[in-house]
Amino acid sequence: MGRHALPAAPDGAAAVTTGTGGAAPSVRSAALDSEVRRPRGRRSAFGPAVARSTFVEHTKPARTVSLSPERPVASNAVAGAAVLSRSAALRAERAADPRHVRRAANAKRAAILLAPALAVTSSLTLAVPANAATPSTDAHHGTTTSQHTQTYTVARDVQVPVVSTDGMTTTTTIVSYPTIVTKFGVSTQQAEDAISKVLSAGGDRATVVSTALQYMGDPYVEGGASHEGIDCSGLTMVAYAAVGIPLVHYVPTQDAAATTIPESEAKPGDLVVYDNEDHVGIFLGDGLVLQAPHPGAVVDIVPMYAAAHHFARVLPAGS
């Protein structure tokens, strides 16, 4: 038998087909009411719809990102200005902050109140004597001034009594010195007593000391030998010139021209030479020395230095 084509069965009905070679026909079940069949020759409208409705549900919730609102910035920019810099924006914001305005006002008031006190304290100078001794206050009402962290006591119009005798009559003469400068704890009374003893003894030694005392308070000047400025060897040179003894304006030469003597034999008017031969002074007695110390200082009276020194005599024996 040949192949017979059967008409298409309606949807839902049983379809009967015949095979070749006289085989028994195969019958497909017509019980397909519950299954949706796809018509032949055209796309089903249900397929894409089903695909589009398919989704996968995530187990974790979606992350939520919140953006903070933009902070307003106070700007004094004029029209046509470009973007305001961050530092300028911060300054403008700080200037508008009432707390910053209040702090700035308080700082300004404090500076105004402290300015006079700072001006006064900056002009004060605290000086301590080199030997940690405190100069005494005497009847001459000396004033104290500071130079190079060393305390000088300056006494004005000092009256020094000079007692002389001829074996029959004793005469007391008052010698006035406009200025007496002491340092390192030497009081004006101590200096006055030493000067009074030297001048009362008279002779060449009194002349040497009296001449050197005329330079008291004059400034130290290297190589000087006048009231405009004088140095240590210049002071001894002019003092001994008053008694007719010429000395070279040089410490080692003066030391070489003198005779070294022990301290026990030293008398007022002898030289005090320091062993490095860099400085020389005039011995006043009572452990005091009259000297022109160093640049920035003045001719003064000080105690004997602790530095190594020796005594040298220029005056003839018996003077």
Side-chain angles (χ1 to χ4, degrees), residues 152-246:
Y152 289 79
T153 300
V154 181
R156 307 291 183 183
D157 300 324
V158 178
Q159 307 294 320
V160 178
V162 178
V163 180
S164 61
T165 181
D166 57 4
M168 297 289 294
T169 306
T170 300
T171 304
T172 301
T173 305
I174 302 299
V175 179
S176 178
Y177 287 93
T179 301
I180 294 293
V181 182
T182 58
K183 186 171 61 175
F184 297 152
V186 177
S187 67
T188 303
Q189 188 63 52
Q190 289 175 305
E192 180 183 316
D193 292 342
I195 294 170
S196 178
K197 291 178 183 178
V198 175
L199 299 184
S200 296
D204 289 344
R205 294 184 180 277
T207 303
V208 169
V209 172
S210 177
T211 303
L213 286 171
Q214 302 302 320
Y215 293 85
M216 181 73 65
D218 289 344
Y220 179 97
V221 174
E222 184 72 29
S226 67
H227 289 290
E228 284 73 25
I230 194 168
D231 62 7
C232 62
S233 59
L235 180 64
T236 56
M237 182 182 70
V238 298
Y240 277 89
V243 293
I245 299 177

Side-chain angles (χ1 to χ4, degrees), residues 52-168:
R52 284 194 298 266
S53 62
T54 302
F55 68 95
V56 177
E57 182 179 0
H58 292 282
T59 57
K60 294 183 179 180
R63 185 176 61 177
T64 302
V65 178
S66 61
L67 299 177
S68 59
E70 184 177 359
R71 182 174 59 179
V73 176
S75 174
N76 297 326
V78 297
V83 179
L84 189 64
S85 66
R86 178 173 177 80
S87 59
L90 291 176
R91 286 195 299 269
E93 183 178 355
R94 192 185 311 125
D97 188 357
R99 293 176 300 176
H100 176 74
V101 175
R102 185 167 56 255
R103 286 194 296 265
N106 291 337
K108 185 175 181 180
R109 283 194 294 269
I112 294 174
L113 294 175
L114 292 176
L118 293 176
V120 171
T121 55
S122 62
S123 63
L124 298 178
T125 303
L126 179 62
V128 179
N131 64 348
T134 303
S136 61
T137 303
D138 47 40
H140 299 289
H141 305 291
T143 59
T144 301
T145 182
S146 174
Q147 295 181 8
H148 296 285
T149 69
Q150 299 170 353
T151 300
Y152 289 79
T153 300
V154 181
R156 307 291 183 183
D157 300 324
V158 178
Q159 307 294 320
V160 178
V162 178
V163 180
S164 61
T165 181
D166 57 4
M168 297 289 294

Side-chain angles (χ1 to χ4, degrees), residues 236-311:
T236 56
M237 182 182 70
V238 298
Y240 277 89
V243 293
I245 299 177
L247 292 178
V248 178
H249 196 169
Y250 187 52
V251 176
T253 306
Q254 292 182 3
D255 188 24
T259 301
T260 301
I261 60 174
E263 184 174 358
S264 60
E265 298 181 8
K267 295 180 179 180
D270 287 334
L271 300 181
V272 181
V273 183
Y274 293 88
D275 288 352
N276 58 4
E277 294 192 336
D278 192 43
H279 186 58
V280 65
I282 298 176
F283 185 53
L284 287 181
D286 296 340
L288 303 180
V289 178
L290 176 63
Q291 63 164 6
H294 52 74
V298 298
V299 177
D300 55 16
I301 297 174
V302 296
M304 291 294 302
Y305 287 122
H309 61 275
H310 63 273
F311 291 86

